[in-house]
Amino acid sequence: MGPKPVVTGLSPKEGAPGTKITIRGEFLGKDARDLIGLIICDSDCLLSAEWKSPTKIIARTGPSKGKGDIIVTTRSGGVGSSTVQFRAYHESIGPLKESAVWIEESPMGSLSWGRRSLAPTKYTQEDPLGLSIEGNVKKLTEDLRDIFPESSGDLAQENFSPGWFLLEHHNATSFDDLKAGLSYLRRKVESQRDGQLSFLKANAGAVMDQLATLMTLRDKYEEDMAETTEPIFKLEKAIKESIIESNSLFTDVLSRRDRADTMRAALFALSRHKFLFCLPKSVEQSAKRKEYDIVINDYARAKNLFGKTDVPIFRKVLEEVDKRIIGIRKELHQQICQMPQSVDHQKKLVKALTSLELFQNGLAIAQELPETDAAWDAIEARSNYLDETLRTIFDQHAARENNQLSAKQRDANDAPPRVLFCEEVCEIAASQLPDLWRLGQAYFTGELKGLSDPKPGVFKRIIINSIETFCSYIRSAILSVSGQRNNHLKANIPVWPATSNSAILQFIPWISQCLRYVRIAYATLIRVDLPSEVLDIIQKLINQIRLFCLSTIFKKAIDKIRRLEEEETWNMGAVPDFPGATNLPNLFEEIIVEHLDEGLNACLKAEIRETSLLEPQSEGLQQISAHTAEFLNTFCDVIETLAQCDITQQTPLVCQLAVGLAGTNNLSNASQSNADDKSWRKTMSWDQKILCCLSNCLYCYRQFFAHIYTVFTKNGYPISKIVFDNGRVRANDLFENIIESFVNEKSEYLVASIEPAMYIANQFQWDLVSSAEGLRPYAHECCDNLVGVFSEVFAVSPLLLRSILEAIVQTVAEELNRLLTCVQRFSANGALQANIDIRFLRDTLQLYSNSKAKAFFAEALEAIPQLSEDGERHVLRVLAKVKEDMKLHIMCFSVQNP
């Protein structure tokens, strides 16, 4: 929109109707087409306007009266303003003044005795008061018109005002003079009342002379008539004959003249009304150039000027223009429904079509076209185009994925078709849905109001349907791989074609990128100020994708946790407070922290108008809690898998303490080696790996899982502590199961070696013992094997000593009790020997004996015959000697807190 027109000067500033004036100012139009209105003193003068330049217009005034503004209206600037005014007035027309109307000339005024004047001298009125006006300054006529707007100072006018006359002619006359003038006027009026009789008396001689003259004129006329009667008849006959002859001579000339006059009149009419006769062609040309504003303005101008005319040729031209406008309306309606196009262009077309429909409303020719709501048709066309575009994009990318599946070749770095589909669909939604909404708002606010009433309910359904269609396509592409293929999908939305597991695995890392596309489209729609009901549909979709994305991140973490078995290096220096614990928990924590951070940044951080996924009792919190429990259980499964390695790798028990000590040194040296040295992994025995797994379980139960709970809390995951308590229970159960398995394996060797060592050596019999001066080999075997177990466990994790040794000592005590209770007869020395062996083992293993082990040792001693005092002293002496000799063994089992 350009600057508004401003009128700053006029020439002349006043005049009668039809006065030619020159209008000067600024921004009075770019060209003649741009000038669409000219008002002078509330009278439309556009037809007589002649545009010269943007600063000059020439026009003729209309039939208005009084002062008024000059208002210029242009297409580029709109309605303008005026800083000057024009005064229009109606002149009094005399018989000698040219005028376009008939002037009644008969009432020329009369003399004092009623005779007509011979000349229009009365129009120059003498002073009726008989006063001199020399030196009197007349008041300006413009000022008097302002004071007496409906009056006049002319004595001959019907609206004569005495006040105007006095102010104009006697502005400086004193009051006394005016009173004298009044007396003069009264005397003059009284003298005129004497009548014609007094006049005749005063002029009797002149009257008689006039009568004599009239009689002489009569006599002369009668004489002339008698002498000239015959010549007059001859003259009359000659004149008639000359007229007939002239008609015969000039008939052809006159006919040609009439035809020429007719043609000249027609050409004049064509020239004068050139706008109307050229209108059918001009509207078609303007329509082809897409200049619909010009079409509307020209059509409106023709309707205003010739809409009510009765001239047949004008009516015929108008009917032709109406037919052309009908064709333009059809073309406009087709263009409105053609997509794609911008909203502004579509609104322009709708406004043009609506304006043309309003101009033709009520015409008979308008019935050829059915009544349509152009704005609503534009809304439906844009909505249908959106649906068709989404379906076309879906078919293209679905076919592309099918082609890739059949070809089985795809670059791993290229985005899968699902990702490209999500990106393109989000771009379409972010561009077309706002356009559809803005078009609807223009329709309901009245900007595009047509002949029909608005349909807000239907438009709301269209918007919701478009949003649901967009969300359904996204769900079909993204959530189909999560087992939610048919959830929340519209009936007419196709399902993404089934694909291979490899294609799904290639797509899953791109889910966070798809979520970013949807969020960008959502932010765009929020700025459009859509209703909350509509935005909630997209928000629900985003929450579902966020949950699915978070689930895929956690599943990826679970897969990495499962592969920790391959990354176990059996490096036992990772946890200072839990010797024997490997670097496996630290690797587990790294995976957890990495994926918690990824999930937080990609899914959990709520963006604009998004809600938290981890509200209490929410579905998101339940899913994350389930995944967290799966983290802990999977890690426990990894430990369990590592503990179930080949049992044939276990180290056989021997009876030499040196071998156990040597194993301790080797294990210590191995623990100092590089964790990544695979040769060290091969040197690890089954026993040592089991002990490391037990240490890891104990670490998880006591500290690690509680630490993982704090990691989740610090990263913004409000997981219930019950989940981690259940994980600790799972770690403790695994610890008990591994302990039980380890103890059973160790106890099997220990128990299996006791009976052969007791009876097979030298065919030993308890009733044939010759002397009791030391320990039997089976007691040495038990002690040495337990020391071997002690050294092996102590070298890996002293924290496990009590848990393992108590169970093994209980098994050994049970086996010794069984063997001794099965002895049928003891000799005296046999009883002494049995007491020495059992008491030595009982005293040595007292710190690692539980109540059951102690009970088994007591039952074994009860199965041996009672000793005499000498025998008791002998046993004590031998025990003291044996304990002195086996001080090193006893020291292993005397450490309270290793």
Side-chain angles (χ1 to χ4, degrees), residues 761-783:
N762 298 323
Q763 298 296 323
F764 175 78
Q765 297 292 332
W766 286 105
D767 56 349
L768 298 177
V769 177
S770 58
S771 64
E773 297 299 330
L775 291 177
R776 289 290 298 162
Y778 78 90
H780 282 286
E781 184 78 13
C782 287
C783 189

PDB file of all heavy atoms in Angstrom, residues 761-783:
ATOM      1  N   ALA A 761      45.644 -96.667  53.569  1.00  0.00           N
ATOM      2  CA  ALA A 761      47.080 -96.654  53.879  1.00  0.00           C
ATOM      3  C   ALA A 761      47.397 -97.747  54.901  1.00  0.00           C
ATOM      4  O   ALA A 761      46.878 -97.717  56.019  1.00  0.00           O
ATOM      5  CB  ALA A 761      47.484 -95.293  54.405  1.00  0.00           C
ATOM      6  N   ASN A 762      48.243 -98.697  54.520  1.00  0.00           N
ATOM      7  CA  ASN A 762      48.717 -99.770  55.402  1.00  0.00           C
ATOM      8  C   ASN A 762      47.574-100.575  55.997  1.00  0.00           C
ATOM      9  O   ASN A 762      47.693-101.155  57.084  1.00  0.00           O
ATOM     10  CB  ASN A 762      49.583 -99.202  56.538  1.00  0.00           C
ATOM     11  CG  ASN A 762      50.821 -98.515  56.005  1.00  0.00           C
ATOM     12  OD1 ASN A 762      51.422 -98.965  55.010  1.00  0.00           O
ATOM     13  ND2 ASN A 762      51.229 -97.427  56.648  1.00  0.00           N
ATOM     14  N   GLN A 763      46.426-100.633  55.338  1.00  0.00           N
ATOM     15  CA  GLN A 763      45.284-101.438  55.796  1.00  0.00           C
ATOM     16  C   GLN A 763      44.953-101.131  57.251  1.00  0.00           C
ATOM     17  O   GLN A 763      44.822-102.012  58.104  1.00  0.00           O
ATOM     18  CB  GLN A 763      45.601-102.940  55.636  1.00  0.00           C
ATOM     19  CG  GLN A 763      45.856-103.364  54.190  1.00  0.00           C
ATOM     20  CD  GLN A 763      44.642-103.188  53.315  1.00  0.00           C
ATOM     21  OE1 GLN A 763      43.517-103.414  53.733  1.00  0.00           O
ATOM     22  NE2 GLN A 763      44.879-102.749  52.071  1.00  0.00           N
ATOM     23  N   PHE A 764      44.746 -99.840  57.506  1.00  0.00           N
ATOM     24  CA  PHE A 764      44.539 -99.372  58.884  1.00  0.00           C
ATOM     25  C   PHE A 764      43.208 -99.893  59.429  1.00  0.00           C
ATOM     26  O   PHE A 764      42.201 -99.892  58.718  1.00  0.00           O
ATOM     27  CB  PHE A 764      44.588 -97.844  58.917  1.00  0.00           C
ATOM     28  CG  PHE A 764      44.273 -97.268  60.265  1.00  0.00           C
ATOM     29  CD1 PHE A 764      45.226 -97.266  61.265  1.00  0.00           C
ATOM     30  CD2 PHE A 764      43.000 -96.745  60.530  1.00  0.00           C
ATOM     31  CE1 PHE A 764      44.924 -96.726  62.497  1.00  0.00           C
ATOM     32  CE2 PHE A 764      42.710 -96.210  61.751  1.00  0.00           C
ATOM     33  CZ  PHE A 764      43.687 -96.197  62.761  1.00  0.00           C
ATOM     34  N   GLN A 765      43.267-100.297  60.753  1.00  0.00           N
ATOM     35  CA  GLN A 765      42.074-100.683  61.494  1.00  0.00           C
ATOM     36  C   GLN A 765      42.151-100.044  62.866  1.00  0.00           C
ATOM     37  O   GLN A 765      43.202-100.030  63.499  1.00  0.00           O
ATOM     38  CB  GLN A 765      41.965-102.214  61.631  1.00  0.00           C
ATOM     39  CG  GLN A 765      41.811-102.954  60.306  1.00  0.00           C
ATOM     40  CD  GLN A 765      40.472-102.667  59.642  1.00  0.00           C
ATOM     41  OE1 GLN A 765      39.507-102.376  60.333  1.00  0.00           O
ATOM     42  NE2 GLN A 765      40.468-102.761  58.312  1.00  0.00           N
ATOM     43  N   TRP A 766      40.988 -99.538  63.321  1.00  0.00           N
ATOM     44  CA  TRP A 766      40.990 -98.802  64.608  1.00  0.00           C
ATOM     45  C   TRP A 766      41.217 -99.748  65.803  1.00  0.00           C
ATOM     46  O   TRP A 766      41.694 -99.310  66.850  1.00  0.00           O
ATOM     47  CB  TRP A 766      39.653 -98.066  64.803  1.00  0.00           C
ATOM     48  CG  TRP A 766      39.515 -96.852  63.919  1.00  0.00           C
ATOM     49  CD1 TRP A 766      38.778 -96.738  62.837  1.00  0.00           C
ATOM     50  CD2 TRP A 766      40.195 -95.615  64.092  1.00  0.00           C
ATOM     51  NE1 TRP A 766      38.916 -95.503  62.261  1.00  0.00           N
ATOM     52  CE2 TRP A 766      39.820 -94.774  63.060  1.00  0.00           C
ATOM     53  CE3 TRP A 766      41.137 -95.105  65.016  1.00  0.00           C
ATOM     54  CZ2 TRP A 766      40.290 -93.486  62.918  1.00  0.00           C
ATOM     55  CZ3 TRP A 766      41.580 -93.820  64.860  1.00  0.00           C
ATOM     56  CH2 TRP A 766      41.158 -92.999  63.814  1.00  0.00           C
ATOM     57  N   ASP A 767      40.945-100.981  65.629  1.00  0.00           N
ATOM     58  CA  ASP A 767      41.150-101.905  66.748  1.00  0.00           C
ATOM     59  C   ASP A 767      42.537-102.538  66.715  1.00  0.00           C
ATOM     60  O   ASP A 767      42.867-103.370  67.563  1.00  0.00           O
ATOM     61  CB  ASP A 767      40.085-103.002  66.737  1.00  0.00           C
ATOM     62  CG  ASP A 767      40.065-103.754  65.411  1.00  0.00           C
ATOM     63  OD1 ASP A 767      40.723-103.277  64.447  1.00  0.00           O
ATOM     64  OD2 ASP A 767      39.392-104.784  65.331  1.00  0.00           O
ATOM     65  N   LEU A 768      43.379-102.146  65.741  1.00  0.00           N
ATOM     66  CA  LEU A 768      44.715-102.714  65.649  1.00  0.00           C
ATOM     67  C   LEU A 768      45.799-101.654  65.753  1.00  0.00           C
ATOM     68  O   LEU A 768      46.942-101.869  65.329  1.00  0.00           O
ATOM     69  CB  LEU A 768      44.863-103.436  64.283  1.00  0.00           C
ATOM     70  CG  LEU A 768      43.909-104.611  64.038  1.00  0.00           C
ATOM     71  CD1 LEU A 768      44.119-105.167  62.659  1.00  0.00           C
ATOM     72  CD2 LEU A 768      44.125-105.685  65.110  1.00  0.00           C
ATOM     73  N   VAL A 769      45.462-100.492  66.303  1.00  0.00           N
ATOM     74  CA  VAL A 769      46.433 -99.401  66.416  1.00  0.00           C
ATOM     75  C   VAL A 769      47.437 -99.771  67.499  1.00  0.00           C
ATOM     76  O   VAL A 769      47.056-100.118  68.640  1.00  0.00           O
ATOM     77  CB  VAL A 769      45.724 -98.082  66.764  1.00  0.00           C
ATOM     78  CG1 VAL A 769      46.749 -96.966  66.965  1.00  0.00           C
ATOM     79  CG2 VAL A 769      44.752 -97.708  65.657  1.00  0.00           C
ATOM     80  N   SER A 770      48.703 -99.670  67.151  1.00  0.00           N
ATOM     81  CA  SER A 770      49.749-100.077  68.104  1.00  0.00           C
ATOM     82  C   SER A 770      50.178 -98.920  69.000  1.00  0.00           C
ATOM     83  O   SER A 770      50.503 -99.114  70.175  1.00  0.00           O
ATOM     84  CB  SER A 770      50.966-100.621  67.334  1.00  0.00           C
ATOM     85  OG  SER A 770      51.451 -99.612  66.439  1.00  0.00           O
ATOM     86  N   SER A 771      50.179 -97.715  68.435  1.00  0.00           N
ATOM     87  CA  SER A 771      50.593 -96.544  69.231  1.00  0.00           C
ATOM     88  C   SER A 771      49.901 -95.294  68.696  1.00  0.00           C
ATOM     89  O   SER A 771      49.442 -95.258  67.551  1.00  0.00           O
ATOM     90  CB  SER A 771      52.110 -96.362  69.178  1.00  0.00           C
ATOM     91  OG  SER A 771      52.510 -96.075  67.847  1.00  0.00           O
ATOM     92  N   ALA A 772      49.845 -94.253  69.533  1.00  0.00           N
ATOM     93  CA  ALA A 772      49.202 -92.992  69.149  1.00  0.00           C
ATOM     94  C   ALA A 772      50.114 -91.846  69.527  1.00  0.00           C
ATOM     95  O   ALA A 772      49.945 -91.210  70.572  1.00  0.00           O
ATOM     96  CB  ALA A 772      47.840 -92.855  69.812  1.00  0.00           C
ATOM     97  N   GLU A 773      51.102 -91.524  68.665  1.00  0.00           N
ATOM     98  CA  GLU A 773      52.091 -90.497  68.965  1.00  0.00           C
ATOM     99  C   GLU A 773      52.007 -89.304  67.988  1.00  0.00           C
ATOM    100  O   GLU A 773      52.877 -88.451  67.999  1.00  0.00           O
ATOM    101  CB  GLU A 773      53.487 -91.111  68.896  1.00  0.00           C
ATOM    102  CG  GLU A 773      53.737 -92.201  69.931  1.00  0.00           C
ATOM    103  CD  GLU A 773      53.619 -91.668  71.344  1.00  0.00           C
ATOM    104  OE1 GLU A 773      53.913 -90.461  71.559  1.00  0.00           O
ATOM    105  OE2 GLU A 773      53.233 -92.447  72.240  1.00  0.00           O
ATOM    106  N   GLY A 774      51.061 -89.293  67.175  1.00  0.00           N
ATOM    107  CA  GLY A 774      50.927 -88.171  66.221  1.00  0.00           C
ATOM    108  C   GLY A 774      49.593 -88.244  65.489  1.00  0.00           C
ATOM    109  O   GLY A 774      48.670 -88.965  65.889  1.00  0.00           O
ATOM    110  N   LEU A 775      49.473 -87.460  64.427  1.00  0.00           N
ATOM    111  CA  LEU A 775      48.244 -87.442  63.625  1.00  0.00           C
ATOM    112  C   LEU A 775      48.298 -88.512  62.569  1.00  0.00           C
ATOM    113  O   LEU A 775      49.354 -88.829  62.007  1.00  0.00           O
ATOM    114  CB  LEU A 775      48.049 -86.085  62.941  1.00  0.00           C
ATOM    115  CG  LEU A 775      47.732 -84.870  63.812  1.00  0.00           C
ATOM    116  CD1 LEU A 775      47.645 -83.618  62.969  1.00  0.00           C
ATOM    117  CD2 LEU A 775      46.432 -85.078  64.576  1.00  0.00           C
ATOM    118  N   ARG A 776      47.094 -89.021  62.283  1.00  0.00           N
ATOM    119  CA  ARG A 776      46.971 -89.967  61.195  1.00  0.00           C
ATOM    120  C   ARG A 776      47.038 -89.212  59.863  1.00  0.00           C
ATOM    121  O   ARG A 776      46.764 -88.019  59.769  1.00  0.00           O
ATOM    122  CB  ARG A 776      45.639 -90.723  61.279  1.00  0.00           C
ATOM    123  CG  ARG A 776      45.577 -91.717  62.448  1.00  0.00           C
ATOM    124  CD  ARG A 776      46.490 -92.897  62.214  1.00  0.00           C
ATOM    125  NE  ARG A 776      46.062 -93.612  61.028  1.00  0.00           N
ATOM    126  CZ  ARG A 776      46.801 -94.465  60.340  1.00  0.00           C
ATOM    127  NH1 ARG A 776      48.030 -94.700  60.754  1.00  0.00           N
ATOM    128  NH2 ARG A 776      46.335 -95.099  59.273  1.00  0.00           N
ATOM    129  N   PRO A 777      47.418 -89.909  58.754  1.00  0.00           N
ATOM    130  CA  PRO A 777      47.510 -89.224  57.457  1.00  0.00           C
ATOM    131  C   PRO A 777      46.209 -88.542  57.018  1.00  0.00           C
ATOM    132  O   PRO A 777      46.217 -87.496  56.383  1.00  0.00           O
ATOM    133  CB  PRO A 777      47.892 -90.350  56.499  1.00  0.00           C
ATOM    134  CG  PRO A 777      48.609 -91.347  57.364  1.00  0.00           C
ATOM    135  CD  PRO A 777      47.918 -91.305  58.702  1.00  0.00           C
ATOM    136  N   TYR A 778      45.048 -89.143  57.345  1.00  0.00           N
ATOM    137  CA  TYR A 778      43.794 -88.525  56.890  1.00  0.00           C
ATOM    138  C   TYR A 778      43.590 -87.161  57.543  1.00  0.00           C
ATOM    139  O   TYR A 778      43.008 -86.248  56.931  1.00  0.00           O
ATOM    140  CB  TYR A 778      42.613 -89.462  57.189  1.00  0.00           C
ATOM    141  CG  TYR A 778      42.158 -89.460  58.620  1.00  0.00           C
ATOM    142  CD1 TYR A 778      41.175 -88.568  59.061  1.00  0.00           C
ATOM    143  CD2 TYR A 778      42.725 -90.346  59.567  1.00  0.00           C
ATOM    144  CE1 TYR A 778      40.762 -88.578  60.370  1.00  0.00           C
ATOM    145  CE2 TYR A 778      42.319 -90.339  60.861  1.00  0.00           C
ATOM    146  CZ  TYR A 778      41.324 -89.454  61.274  1.00  0.00           C
ATOM    147  OH  TYR A 778      40.934 -89.450  62.574  1.00  0.00           O
ATOM    148  N   ALA A 779      44.081 -87.019  58.858  1.00  0.00           N
ATOM    149  CA  ALA A 779      43.946 -85.724  59.533  1.00  0.00           C
ATOM    150  C   ALA A 779      44.852 -84.687  58.859  1.00  0.00           C
ATOM    151  O   ALA A 779      44.467 -83.519  58.669  1.00  0.00           O
ATOM    152  CB  ALA A 779      44.275 -85.852  61.003  1.00  0.00           C
ATOM    153  N   HIS A 780      46.094 -85.152  58.553  1.00  0.00           N
ATOM    154  CA  HIS A 780      46.977 -84.260  57.795  1.00  0.00           C
ATOM    155  C   HIS A 780      46.356 -83.881  56.440  1.00  0.00           C
ATOM    156  O   HIS A 780      46.436 -82.728  56.004  1.00  0.00           O
ATOM    157  CB  HIS A 780      48.334 -84.949  57.575  1.00  0.00           C
ATOM    158  CG  HIS A 780      49.219 -84.912  58.775  1.00  0.00           C
ATOM    159  ND1 HIS A 780      49.884 -83.776  59.190  1.00  0.00           N
ATOM    160  CD2 HIS A 780      49.588 -85.905  59.659  1.00  0.00           C
ATOM    161  CE1 HIS A 780      50.600 -84.044  60.265  1.00  0.00           C
ATOM    162  NE2 HIS A 780      50.452 -85.351  60.587  1.00  0.00           N
ATOM    163  N   GLU A 781      45.737 -84.887  55.761  1.00  0.00           N
ATOM    164  CA  GLU A 781      45.113 -84.630  54.463  1.00  0.00           C
ATOM    165  C   GLU A 781      44.014 -83.569  54.579  1.00  0.00           C
ATOM    166  O   GLU A 781      43.930 -82.632  53.773  1.00  0.00           O
ATOM    167  CB  GLU A 781      44.534 -85.937  53.907  1.00  0.00           C
ATOM    168  CG  GLU A 781      43.958 -85.818  52.522  1.00  0.00           C
ATOM    169  CD  GLU A 781      45.018 -85.794  51.451  1.00  0.00           C
ATOM    170  OE1 GLU A 781      46.195 -86.120  51.759  1.00  0.00           O
ATOM    171  OE2 GLU A 781      44.693 -85.426  50.312  1.00  0.00           O
ATOM    172  N   CYS A 782      43.176 -83.724  55.600  1.00  0.00           N
ATOM    173  CA  CYS A 782      42.077 -82.747  55.784  1.00  0.00           C
ATOM    174  C   CYS A 782      42.632 -81.351  56.052  1.00  0.00           C
ATOM    175  O   CYS A 782      42.179 -80.350  55.469  1.00  0.00           O
ATOM    176  CB  CYS A 782      41.192 -83.195  56.939  1.00  0.00           C
ATOM    177  SG  CYS A 782      40.162 -84.610  56.556  1.00  0.00           S
ATOM    178  N   CYS A 783      43.604 -81.305  56.915  1.00  0.00           N
ATOM    179  CA  CYS A 783      44.162 -79.997  57.284  1.00  0.00           C
ATOM    180  C   CYS A 783      44.852 -79.340  56.090  1.00  0.00           C
ATOM    181  O   CYS A 783      44.669 -78.140  55.829  1.00  0.00           O
ATOM    182  CB  CYS A 783      45.129 -80.180  58.449  1.00  0.00           C
ATOM    183  SG  CYS A 783      45.683 -78.593  59.139  1.00  0.00           S
TER     184      CYS A 783
END
